[in-house]
């Protein structure tokens, strides 16, 4: 394993994808210092145009080459405020960029073998583990090509994807 801590290193891994990039998220809180999240909590308007444009730009080249980008989220119910916010911005950020997104209530994942942390899996060959502090702050990531780790992540993602509900049909329980 090697450390992968910068956005540039992540985008290099993503850009190198030839067929697929999948992301499994399993936390109920991420990056709680996000200013748009704070504004959303207060019921105020917020502007994510720069962030959304950046993600669309990153994915545009991939999608033009036929790379499929999927994201699955395992969430506790009732959902946290952060997950409600994430659900609210998924259409303008993830779906608008071309991702496919599904949601799975945590109880639906109880019998699945899942890795201990969130990850990205590129072309069923390279895993980037995403490590977080307890409050959702991003910590250093790690990259692995270990065959057992890749297999665990591929199987876990596909199992969650199969059970998940498409974003357009998923209703939050708050």
């Amino acid at each position: 394993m090697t450390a992968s801590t910068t956005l540039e290193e992540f985008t290099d891994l993503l850009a190198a994808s030839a067929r697929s990039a999948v992301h499994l998220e399993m936390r109920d809180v991420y990056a709680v210092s996000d200013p748009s999240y704070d504004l959303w909590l207060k019921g105020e308007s917020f502007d994510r145009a720069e962030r959304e444009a950046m993600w669309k730009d990153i994915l545009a080249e991939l999608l033009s080459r036929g790379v499929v980008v999927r994201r699955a989220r395992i969430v506790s119910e009732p959902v946290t405020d952060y997950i409600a916010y994430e659900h609210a911005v998924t259409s303008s950020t993830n779906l608008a960029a071309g991702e496919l997104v599904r949601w799975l209530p945590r109880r639906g994942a109880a019998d699945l073998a899942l890795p201990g942390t969130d990850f990205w899996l590129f072309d069923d060959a390279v895993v980037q583990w995403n490590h977080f502090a307890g409050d959702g702050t991003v910590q250093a990531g790690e990259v692995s090509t270990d065959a057992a780790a890749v297999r665990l992540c591929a199987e876990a993602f596909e199992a969650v994807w199969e059970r998940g509900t498409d974003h357009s049909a998923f209703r939050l329980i708050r």
Side-chain angles (χ1 to χ4, degrees):
M1 287 196 199
T2 59
S4 175
T5 59
T6 69
L7 178 59
E8 183 178 342
E9 290 166 328
F10 166 73
T11 55
D12 287 348
L13 287 168
L14 191 58
S17 298
R19 296 176 318 281
S20 66
V22 301
H23 185 39
L24 182 60
E25 298 177 4
M26 299 181 284
R27 295 182 51 86
D28 289 321
V29 176
Y30 293 91
V32 293
S33 62
D34 181 342
S36 62
Y37 172 64
D38 294 334
L39 291 170
W40 180 85
L41 277 176
K42 296 174 188 173
E44 298 176 15
S45 63
F46 54 92
D47 183 1
R48 290 177 43 102
E50 185 176 331
R51 176 183 289 178
E52 292 166 358
M54 180 184 75
W55 192 235
K56 286 176 189 175
D57 289 346
I58 289 170
L59 291 192
E61 196 275 330
L62 286 174
L63 298 172
S64 73
R65 292 189 283 115
V67 176
V68 176
V69 181
R70 298 182 293 159
R71 180 182 306 252
R73 294 177 171 139
I74 299 173
V75 297
S76 298
E77 290 181 319
V79 300
T80 62
D81 287 341
Y82 189 84
I83 294 301
Y85 161 76
E86 197 171 55
H87 188 269
V89 299
T90 292
S91 291
S92 63
T93 303
N94 307 95
L95 299 180
E99 281 186 71
L100 305 172
V101 179
R102 290 189 182 176
W103 301 78
L104 179 64
R106 194 167 308 283
R107 70 183 52 171
D111 62 342
L112 298 178
L114 300 169
T117 191
D118 293 11
F119 64 85
W120 277 91
L121 177 62
F122 307 100
D123 291 332
D124 291 325
V126 179
V127 176
Q128 178 178 314
W129 305 108
N130 298 329
H131 300 295
F132 298 89
D135 67 358
T137 305
V138 176
Q139 303 292 302
E142 292 179 82
V143 175
S144 176
T145 57
D146 176 74
V150 166
R151 186 172 42 259
L152 170 66
C153 290
E155 291 172 359
F157 183 86
E158 292 305 328
V160 171
W161 188 258
E162 181 179 311
R163 292 183 184 184
T165 301
D166 186 75
H167 176 76
S168 64
F170 185 75
R171 300 296 170 250
L172 295 179
I173 295 176
R174 295 199 72 195

